[in-house]
Amino acid sequence: VEAGATNCQFRLAARPEGLPGRDCWEMTEEAPREPADGEALVKVLQLSLDPAMRGWMNDVPSYVPPVGIGEVMRAIGVGQVVESKHERLAEGDFVTGLFGIQEYATLPGDALTPIDADLAPLATYLNVLGVPGMTAYFGLLDIGKPQPGETVVVSGAAGAVGATVGQIAKLKGCRAVGIAGGPEKCQMLVEDFGFDAAIDYKNDELLPALREKCPERVNVYFDNVGGEVLDAVLARLARKARIVICGAVSQYNESSMRGPSNYMALLVRRARMEGFVVFDYADRYAEAAREMGGWMAEGKLKGSEDIVAGIETFPDTLLKLFRGENTGKLILEVASA
Amino acid sequence: VEAGATNCQFRLAARPEGLPGRDCWEMTEEAPREPADGEALVKVLQLSLDPAMRGWMNDVPSYVPPVGIGEVMRAIGVGQVVESKHERLAEGDFVTGLFGIQEYATLPGDALTPIDADLAPLATYLNVLGVPGMTAYFGLLDIGKPQPGETVVVSGAAGAVGATVGQIAKLKGCRAVGIAGGPEKCQMLVEDFGFDAAIDYKNDELLPALREKCPERVNVYFDNVGGEVLDAVLARLARKARIVICGAVSQYNESSMRGPSNYMALLVRRARMEGFVVFDYADRYAEAAREMGGWMAEGKLKGSEDIVAGIETFPDTLLKLFRGENTGKLILEVASA
């Protein structure tokens, strides 16, 4: 790394109530840390901004520990090795890892995964070939278990996970219906991503729309949002339906979670609701990446990214996510390769 | 049937809001209907009063249609054939069927199931060898899939389904913890039914009690009550836990259902919540009755019945159920054999 380089970082300064405002963050600068033996220093190029970040900001134990006050905010990214003391990594290698919201990350080499920047754009490794893609793939196929001819509904459908869920559902011979906010997103789902139909939760009435777009009811519901959308789909389940609980972004900034008051539909419809954490599938990521990479090469699966430049925009860019203003995977560009 | 016999009946007069009061019912009298070809006339001896009845009173489609205004209230019972025009049934045969709240029922012979009154007391056919027992058996074993050494928690544990769930859990090598209201019921669970521990939801604080009684967390939760008990158990799930949704008696008389606000524990714990309807298992009832009858004969499984005499007490006796005042299966005795 060049002499005198500084590492700009965003640290958690206060835990939010509701939407995470600017007062939650402290921007700090320090020299990039030299790698010790077995470590590598990475120049961060792009960072993934995800709904799950809101959960990590709460002081509540979850599938990962909360981010501590004063710690660099957790984030997954892609970057390039600038200095390596790890035998498998060399300067110039492209890698992905848990870098955090900062310009440079010094991490054990074993915590970095090499990526092939010639095979796909870097952002793809934060989207279809990254955690969102893996989430869509394993959540839909392993938990939802869609069968050909079934109807798959996904909420947050214009987001990184949702758009991939809908496309995989189509590839598996299902009817794919997406729920998203606003006519532009809905149009994109049908025209760009090949969904059979879309429902605009901001403008359509959910129950009549679900009746119209899902005439055979809903066999698989992949839920990213919770709240009233979850309740509406519960009212339209088919017998033996599977609900995949992936997230509840409509509730993350509420002071108290709203539970699905229609959950007794699970009994009436002999249905189930199941949660999963994508990291449990880590030893199968390569298998999924091979299959999805193949679909991408054939033009049957595509990603969409919303790339915002400038690490200094992080607090505002993150809010785009919770306001539903992004279209496709929201990515913070920290530097170009 | 003797000349001049009257059939006293309870018909649904009005749909309740909240608890079903006396004004929901009309008591009528008419002559028992003579059986047509293929039918039998049954003298009703005992009727099962069940939490599910509250749902049948709402004008909401469910796994069975609502009871119509003016119709005899739906109920399962045991009785004795007094006149048969069905080739398989003879006068004096004991049968079980969907008789309704009345003294005589005339039904197609094919809708009546013969029972052996010498093998077990009649009430057993409304309890462990009846729908509650089948509900416990298939719900726990088919949906909950408990493994030896796991912790099984059941709510409404002093009720007909709950007490059987706990005993089957023990028979399968699990730790059984029951949640019930009041010290007497809790004592009965441990001393009479062999539960490992009991939690008194009226007097114990749920979260500390669950921590104490379920030190290894909860692998299977069989939920009969919903509401805050469901939320508390969600907070104490083990990884890959299974929640069996059997009922939500705490919510049946509320104007709006409360959903489980802790449902995101399903994600954190990689758990599932699944509903079922016991009638789907009708072709396996005989198999379950054989196994449970064997356990009863060996003294490893027992039922407990709370038998209230007099069809005229029906409206008040039903309320016992929703007030949690019954201990064991609540049965209305209409006549003695």
Side-chain angles (χ1 to χ4, degrees):
Chain A
V1 64
E2 54 267 45
T6 59
N7 180 18
C8 167
Q9 307 165 312
F10 277 89
R11 294 173 181 272
L12 186 63
R15 303 206 180 275
E17 296 187 22
L19 287 172
R22 294 199 66 97
D23 54 337
C24 293
W25 308 111
E26 184 191 11
M27 201 175 99
T28 54
E29 288 194 349
E30 59 182 35
R33 182 167 72 72
E34 288 297 314
D37 274 354
E39 290 188 330
L41 172 61
V42 176
K43 182 179 185 189
V44 177
L45 300 173
Q46 297 183 346
L47 291 167
S48 172
L49 301 192
D50 296 293
M53 288 176 151
R54 183 61 186 80
W56 304 341
M57 298 174 75
N58 291 335
D59 194 15
V60 172
S62 179
Y63 59 96
V64 287
V67 175
I69 297 291
E71 287 180 13
V72 173
M73 181 61 192
R74 182 183 294 143
I76 292 172
V78 290
Q80 196 166 17
V81 173
V82 289
E83 194 178 339
S84 173
K85 291 189 177 163
H86 187 275
E87 54 182 9
R88 277 193 303 101
L89 296 169
E91 193 183 323
D93 285 358
F94 289 96
V95 291
T96 178
L98 215 50
F99 298 151
I101 306 290
Q102 55 185 347
E103 293 180 295
Y104 290 93
T106 308
L107 288 169
D110 294 340
L112 299 170
T113 306
I115 57 179
D116 185 343
D118 295 330
L119 201 68
L122 284 180
T124 301
Y125 292 96
L126 298 180
N127 190 3
V128 178
L129 296 181
V131 173
M134 298 299 146
T135 301
Y137 185 92
F138 291 108
L140 180 63
L141 300 181
D142 254 56
I143 310 290
K145 297 186 169 66
Q147 305 301 311
E150 288 193 330
T151 296
V152 173
V153 173
V154 57
S155 56
V161 173
T164 305
V165 166
Q167 292 177 87
I168 298 176
K170 288 302 296 174
L171 281 160
K172 295 294 179 182
C174 297
R175 175 175 176 81
V177 178
I179 303 177
E184 295 78 13
K185 288 184 181 178
C186 285
Q187 189 178 348
M188 182 187 77
L189 292 180
V190 173
E191 295 182 1
D192 296 347
F193 290 116
F195 283 62
D196 294 287
I199 294 171
D200 175 359
Y201 75 86
K202 288 184 178 168
N203 296 293
D204 297 339
E205 279 204 69
L206 283 170
L207 286 172
L210 282 164
R211 265 195 299 276
E212 184 194 333
K213 310 290 168 118
C214 307
E216 311 278 336
R217 294 186 159 265
V218 179
N219 302 102
V220 177
Y221 174 48
F222 193 108
D223 188 30
N224 290 305
V225 306
E228 62 179 323
V229 175
L230 173 54
D231 264 329
V233 181
L234 275 163
R236 191 66 192 155
L237 291 185
R239 194 182 257 233
K240 289 275 174 194
R242 289 82 68 195
I243 297 180
V244 184
I245 299 294
C246 180
V249 71
S250 76
Q251 303 295 302
Y252 291 167
N253 295 293
E254 302 296 324
S255 55
S256 65
M257 283 286 286
R258 164 184 162 162
S261 50
N262 282 342
Y263 82 103
M264 287 298 284
L266 297 178
L267 186 154
V268 176
R269 299 292 168 196
R270 295 83 162 153
R272 73 178 150 82
M273 185 183 281
E274 185 164 353
F276 77 106
V277 172
V278 68
F279 307 117
D280 295 346
Y281 293 91
D283 60 355
R284 292 176 57 197
Y285 284 176
E287 162 202 328
R290 252 192 321 274
E291 183 161 24
M292 290 202 287
W295 288 333
M296 291 186 90
E298 296 170 54
K300 291 179 180 167
L301 174 63
K302 54 186 171 179
S304 159
E305 290 95 28
D306 185 340
I307 301 181
V308 179
I311 192 171
E312 71 283 359
T313 71
F314 165 66
D316 295 330
T317 305
L318 183 64
L319 288 176
K320 280 185 73 165
L321 196 68
F322 295 115
R323 294 192 179 123
E325 291 167 8
N326 60 306
T327 300
K329 177 75 199 92
L330 186 61
I331 288 173
L332 187 67
E333 186 170 69
V334 178
S336 44
Chain B
V1 66
E2 55 267 48
T6 59
N7 179 18
C8 168
Q9 307 165 312
F10 277 89
R11 293 172 182 272
L12 185 63
R15 302 206 180 274
E17 296 188 21
L19 287 172
R22 294 199 65 97
D23 55 336
C24 293
W25 307 111
E26 186 192 9
M27 201 175 99
T28 55
E29 287 193 351
E30 60 182 35
R33 183 168 71 73
E34 288 297 315
D37 274 353
E39 289 188 329
L41 172 60
V42 176
K43 183 179 186 190
V44 177
L45 300 174
Q46 298 183 345
L47 291 167
S48 172
L49 301 192
D50 296 293
M53 288 176 150
R54 183 62 187 80
W56 304 341
M57 298 174 73
N58 291 336
D59 194 16
V60 173
S62 179
Y63 59 96
V64 289
V67 175
I69 295 291
E71 288 181 11
V72 173
M73 180 61 192
R74 183 183 294 144
I76 292 172
V78 290
Q80 197 167 16
V81 174
V82 289
E83 195 178 337
S84 173
K85 291 189 177 163
H86 187 276
E87 51 182 10
R88 277 194 303 100
L89 295 169
E91 193 184 324
D93 284 359
F94 289 96
V95 291
T96 178
L98 216 49
F99 298 151
I101 305 291
Q102 55 185 346
E103 293 180 295
Y104 291 93
T106 308
L107 288 169
D110 294 341
L112 300 171
T113 306
I115 57 178
D116 185 342
D118 295 329
L119 202 68
L122 285 179
T124 301
Y125 292 95
L126 297 179
N127 190 2
V128 177
L129 297 181
V131 173
M134 300 298 144
T135 301
Y137 185 92
F138 291 108
L140 179 63
L141 299 181
D142 254 57
I143 310 291
K145 296 187 172 63
Q147 304 301 310
E150 288 192 331
T151 296
V152 174
V153 172
V154 57
S155 56
V161 173
T164 304
V165 166
Q167 292 177 86
I168 298 176
K170 288 302 296 175
L171 281 160
K172 296 293 180 183
C174 298
R175 176 175 175 80
V177 177
I179 303 177
E184 296 78 14
K185 288 183 181 178
C186 285
Q187 189 178 348
M188 182 187 77
L189 292 180
V190 174
E191 294 183 1
D192 296 347
F193 291 116
F195 283 62
D196 294 288
I199 294 170
D200 175 358
Y201 75 86
K202 289 184 177 168
N203 295 293
D204 297 340
E205 278 205 69
L206 284 170
L207 287 172
L210 282 163
R211 265 196 300 275
E212 183 194 333
K213 310 291 166 108
C214 306
E216 311 278 339
R217 294 186 160 265
V218 179
N219 303 100
V220 178
Y221 175 49
F222 192 108
D223 188 29
N224 289 304
V225 305
E228 60 179 325
V229 175
L230 173 54
D231 265 329
V233 180
L234 276 162
R236 191 66 192 155
L237 290 185
R239 193 183 258 232
K240 289 277 175 193
R242 291 80 69 195
I243 296 180
V244 183
I245 298 294
C246 180
V249 70
S250 76
Q251 303 295 302
Y252 290 166
N253 295 294
E254 303 295 325
S255 55
S256 65
M257 283 286 288
R258 165 185 161 160
S261 49
N262 282 342
Y263 82 103
M264 287 297 284
L266 297 178
L267 186 154
V268 176
R269 299 295 167 193
R270 295 82 161 155
R272 72 177 152 81
M273 184 183 282
E274 185 164 353
F276 76 107
V277 173
V278 68
F279 306 117
D280 295 346
Y281 293 90
D283 61 355
R284 292 176 57 198
Y285 284 177
E287 162 202 329
R290 251 191 322 274
E291 183 162 24
M292 290 203 286
W295 288 332
M296 291 187 89
E298 296 170 53
K300 292 177 179 166
L301 175 62
K302 53 187 173 181
S304 159
E305 290 95 28
D306 185 341
I307 301 182
V308 179
I311 192 171
E312 72 282 359
T313 70
F314 165 67
D316 296 329
T317 305
L318 183 65
L319 289 176
K320 280 185 74 165
L321 196 68
F322 295 115
R323 295 191 178 122
E325 292 167 6
N326 60 307
T327 301
K329 177 76 200 90
L330 186 61
I331 289 174
L332 187 67
E333 186 170 69
V334 177
S336 44

